[in-house]
């Protein structure tokens, strides 16, 4: 980590070679085993003392981690340290917004800082290995784990995932003391988010070209950022579960990417090969996994149980085991565990609440505003099931999150009551007590309270447990009686500002129409309350952008911005179900790709988010290095003769035309209009988050190489290769936009 890469390499290799040469087969296999506390304590400790455990996880606390570490270091023959792992997903005691909300910040520098602060907190509790970031590109908000990733776009996910890896893994100085980095574990390799129907653990079918264009780039970016480990996924990918997938784990991860990171299974994903229907029994599963180079077995114990036997039967070559153990020892070496196996047992210092506040502020997306926001000196009613829920605002995967640190929206408004809402101008009546609550009595109370208010702040959405692993939903409406409550609040005639706290995009089209303003906050973490207060009252100008498309209805899913146009794009306006004449002939409703209930357009597109100010985008200018041709209409650039040397400079000017100083995120989109393969309507290739004072203009410039425009192409023999400018007359368009939009008229 902090050591020079070149000298470290050889020193590291020498160290590992020497250690490996002294290990017995049993000790090697022991390193490939990871245990959690669900193991019987005596049995677990006996295994550690015998050198049959490489890693522990879900054991938290410096003293306890050190106690087990002492057994490994002081009582085993070779004294190889354990590495303590944990699901550290979006913070430790101090919780940052869920990763989907982090995606909405479009601010990788900030996310890197949050990861670094998280690593510092986790270290104080003994944790040296985090099972995150999750970089599964997700097109399906029904899938509960959409909350854990950075959204639907491969580029945004790559940038955010790499930032998190850097933040975790970099050593840092804290009060003159070096805090070593925490190993990242990038997951779930690969294709997990494409589970059919958005149902967790389900089958995935992903053609090789799509796998490489959409699902793999964030993993590759994380590997290039130096990720120390990757985790296998649970799904079967085109019929082959990842833990047994040689093509993924060896051909791509090792041979193409040349990664030396450790590959760990997911929880029992090795033994799952039996219920998958791939293996007859666990021994067979161990064989399939080791042959596909799954290097460490999380919790399944199939390696400890069967590998020795498989080696003795000559079904497994010890060289393969050496390769796996080498990766494990390397991770430990790079974490400095051989020199410093123990963590300090001092009283942990508090986390960085200011940073958590900033990330929460930047993660909220303003979806609608009829001018009511920011609030003035109105009497506000704070209502809704999520206005004062210290735990729920933290979101999914917060095993260690300290609920007592949470500041809810209600608390924030109460604390700030002398500011925007002077004493006596704040009313609280929750209406519903949790998101699935259906009790009409509470709604009536909220309606009565609304009569005394000028503005209603309705904090609605989903409780934390409705998203995350195995928390998939077939219906994405507001749960419980929240829709009825919205109707009742709107019926009072008072303006309703809807603040949605949820783990995914919800189908809130009707409520958006009803509301005076809508702020989508995801689950904002410890500091969600003050962040929302600051935005609602104008102390902070909203700057979040949707990291995922918001569908109008579940039937549109999967719906994502970088889709293909089809040969028969949607009519504008489409012919919806009620407008079809009774008895009309079949031919009159053909020719167009849409649903009878809704056009193809989403409720909100990817990259969308309003501000309290307005921005005016100038013409996009494109310049290509060889010919230096600037296009007339600012859209298309001429091709170079030697495409691989091409370099594009794309720029535009943005003016803040409103009265607030604010951040804006110009996004560079590209479309290939014709070429060797059909390509998406637009693809994100860059973004910048820039601060523009009111009335001022700023220039933004992006540079792109031909590599950025390349895509994968399947050859006739089934092998994939990357192509650039697939045909000579490939025609590209470029545009710098405030959010994703198809780059040509639909009828073109
Ligand atoms: C299963 C989840 O899929 C994975 O993301 C997590 O890290 C492990 N369990 C460990 O808890």
């Amino acid at each position: 980590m902090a050591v020079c890469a070149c000298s470290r390499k050889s020193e590291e290799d020498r160290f590992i070679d020497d250690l490996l040469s002294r290990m017995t087969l049993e000790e090697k296999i022991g390193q490939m085993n990871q245990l959690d506390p669900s193991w019987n304590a005596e049995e677990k400790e006996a295994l550690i003392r015998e050198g049959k455990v490489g890693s522990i996880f879900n054991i938290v606390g410096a003293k306890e981690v050190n106690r087990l570490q002492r057994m490994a270091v002081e009582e085993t023959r070779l004294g190889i340290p354990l590495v303590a792992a944990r699901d550290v997903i979006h913070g430790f005691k101090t919780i940052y917004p869920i990763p989907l909300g982090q995606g909405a910040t479009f601010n990788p520098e900030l996310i890197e800082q949050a990861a670094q602060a998280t690593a510092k907190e986790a270290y104080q509790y003994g944790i040296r290995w985090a099972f995150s970031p999750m970089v599964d590109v997700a097109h399906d908000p029904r899938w509960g784990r959409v909350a854990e990733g950075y959204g639907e776009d491969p580029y945004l996910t790559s940038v955010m995932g790499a930032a998190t890896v850097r933040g975790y893994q970099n050593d840092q100085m804290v009060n003159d003391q070096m805090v070593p980095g925490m190993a990242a574990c990038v997951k779930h390799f690969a294709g997990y988010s494409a589970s059919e129907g958005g149902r967790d653990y389900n089958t995935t079918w992903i053609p090789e070209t799509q796998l490489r264009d959409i699902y793999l780039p964030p993993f590759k970016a994380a590997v290039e950022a130096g990720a120390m480990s990757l985790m296998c996924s649970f799904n079967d990918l085109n019929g082959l579960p990842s833990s047994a997938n040689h093509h993924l784990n060896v051909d791509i991860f090792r041979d193409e990417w040349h990664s030396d990171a450790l590959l760990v299974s997911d929880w029992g994903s090795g033994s799952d090969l039996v219920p998958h229907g791939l293996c007859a029994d666990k021994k067979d599963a161990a064989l399939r996994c080791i042959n596909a180079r799954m290097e460490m077995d999380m919790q399944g114990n199939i390696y400890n149980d069967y590998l020795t036997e498989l080696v003795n039967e000559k079904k497994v070559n010890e060289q393969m085991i050496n390769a796996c153990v080498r990766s494990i020892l390397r991770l430990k070496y790079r974490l400095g565990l051989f020199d410093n196996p123990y963590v300090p047992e001092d009283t942990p210092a508090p986390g960085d609440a200011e940073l958590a506040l900033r990330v929460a502020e930047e993660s909220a997306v303003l979806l609608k505003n009829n001018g009511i926001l920011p609030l003035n000196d109105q009497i506000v009613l704070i209502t809704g099931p999520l206005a004062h829920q210290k735990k729920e605002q933290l979101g999914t995967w917060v095993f260690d999150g300290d609920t007592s640190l949470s500041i809810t929206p209600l608390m924030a408004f109460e604390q700030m009551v002398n500011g925007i809402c002077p004493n006596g101008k704040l009313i609280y009546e929750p209406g519903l007590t949790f998101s699935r609550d259906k009790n009409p009595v509470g709604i009536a109370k909220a309606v009565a309270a609304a009569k005394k208010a000028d503005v209603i702040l309705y904090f609605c959405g989903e409780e934390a447990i409705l998203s995350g692993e195995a928390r998939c939903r077939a219906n994405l409406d507001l749960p419980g009686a929240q829709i009825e409550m919205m109707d009742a609040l709107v019926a009072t005639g008072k303006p309703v500002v809807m603040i949605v706290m949820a783990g995914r995009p919800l189908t809130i089209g009707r409520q958006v129409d009803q509301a005076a303003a809508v702020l989508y906050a995801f689950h904002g973490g410890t500091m969600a309350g003050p962040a929302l207060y600051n935005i609602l009252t104008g102390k902070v100008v909203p700057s979040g952008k949707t990291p995922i498309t918001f569908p109008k209805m579940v039937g549109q899913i999967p719906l994502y911005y970088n889709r293909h146009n089809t040969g028969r794009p949607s009519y504008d306006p489409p012919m919806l179900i009620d407008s079809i004449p009774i008895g009309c002939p079949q031919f009159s409703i053909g020719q167009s790709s849409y649903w009878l209930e809704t056009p193809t357009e989403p409720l909100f597109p990817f990259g969308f988010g309003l501000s309290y100010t307005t921005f005016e985008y100038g013409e996009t200018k494109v310049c290509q290095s060889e010919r230096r041709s600037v296009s007339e209409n600012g859209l298309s650039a001429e091709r170079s003769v030697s495409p691989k040397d091409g370099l594009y400079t794309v720029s535009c000017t943005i003016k803040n035309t409103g009265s607030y100083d604010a951040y804006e995120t110009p996004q560079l989109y590209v479309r290939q209009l014709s070429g060797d393969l059909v390509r998406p309507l637009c693809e994100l290739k860059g973004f910048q988050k820039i601060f523009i004072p009111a009335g001022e203009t700023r220039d933004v410039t992006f540079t792109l190489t031909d590599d950025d425009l390349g895509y994968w192409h399947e050859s006739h023999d089934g092998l994939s290769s990357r192509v650039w400018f697939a045909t000579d007359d490939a025609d590209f368009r470029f545009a710098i936009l405030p959010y994703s939009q198809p780059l040509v008229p639909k009828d073109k």
Side-chain angles (χ1 to χ4, degrees), residues 162-175:
T164 303
V165 167
R166 285 193 300 273
Y168 283 163
Q169 294 192 173
N170 281 343
D171 298 341
Q172 47 187 317
M173 288 303 287
V174 179
N175 301 331

Side-chain angles (χ1 to χ4, degrees), residues 57-58 87 131 145 148 187-188 192 231 234 266-267 298 397 399 469:
F57 86 123
N58 289 344
D87 280 300
F131 288 152
R145 305 199 79 169
E148 289 178 60
K187 65 190 190 184
H188 304 85
Y192 182 35
M231 186 188 290
F234 283 131
D266 199 341
W267 178 292
M298 182 198 295
W397 284 110
F399 288 149
E469 186 175 350

Side-chain angles (χ1 to χ4, degrees), residues 58-260:
N58 289 344
I59 291 165
V60 177
K63 283 201 171 69
E64 179 61 4
V65 171
N66 282 345
R67 187 180 75 84
L68 298 174
Q69 187 72 295
R70 246 173 257 120
M71 290 174 199
V73 173
E74 293 168 25
E75 298 183 39
T76 62
R77 193 177 74 89
L78 293 170
I80 301 174
L82 301 164
V83 53
R86 182 72 164 160
D87 280 300
V88 179
I89 310 295
H90 51 114
F92 196 73
K93 294 284 171 196
T94 307
I95 298 296
Y96 293 84
I98 54 171
L100 191 60
Q102 295 185 22
T105 68
F106 277 67
N107 189 342
E109 288 79 23
L110 187 64
I111 297 315
E112 183 170 338
Q113 286 172 34
Q116 188 152 3
T118 298
K120 185 173 84 181
E121 255 198 321
Y123 178 68
Q124 304 179 89
Y125 295 84
I127 306 305
R128 302 299 314 278
W129 188 12
F131 288 152
S132 69
M134 185 190 97
V135 297
D136 294 309
V137 168
H139 289 168
D140 195 331
R142 292 172 299 180
W143 189 53
R145 305 199 79 169
V146 72
E148 289 178 60
Y150 304 103
E152 78 183 30
D153 181 65
Y155 178 79
L156 177 64
T157 304
S158 299
V159 170
M160 293 302 193
T164 303
V165 167
R166 285 193 300 273
Y168 283 163
Q169 294 192 173
N170 281 343
D171 298 341
Q172 47 187 317
M173 288 303 287
V174 179
N175 301 331
D176 294 333
Q177 294 222 319
M178 213 271 291
V179 174
M182 167 169 77
C185 187
V186 186
K187 65 190 190 184
H188 304 85
F189 195 60
Y192 182 35
S193 47
S195 58
E196 279 188 342
R199 179 163 60 80
D200 209 4
Y201 315 127
N202 204 5
T203 299
T204 63
W205 293 104
I206 310 178
E208 185 78 11
T209 47
Q210 194 191 22
L211 183 72
R212 287 170 177 274
D213 279 339
I214 305 289
Y215 294 96
L216 293 186
F219 288 96
K220 184 154 187 271
V223 164
E224 284 166 1
M228 289 196 212
S229 68
L230 260 65
M231 186 188 290
C232 297
S233 58
F234 283 131
N235 55 301
D236 72 275
L237 174 64
N238 305 330
L240 195 55
S242 304
S243 311
N245 199 316
H246 191 275
H247 178 55
L248 273 181
N249 303 344
V250 180
D251 300 346
I252 296 178
F253 180 45
R254 301 292 173 197
D255 297 347
E256 273 182 36
W257 297 352
H258 306 293
S259 176
D260 60 8

Side-chain angles (χ1 to χ4, degrees), residues 571-604:
Y571 287 143
D572 195 15
M575 192 183 277
L576 296 183
I577 196 158
D578 291 333
S579 62
I580 299 174
I582 296 164
C584 87
Q586 173 69 33
F587 66 82
S588 63
I589 57 166
Q591 316 293 333
S592 175
S593 172
Y594 66 99
W595 296 271
L596 289 180
E597 289 84 3
T598 174
T600 327
E601 276 65 43
L603 183 60
F604 295 104

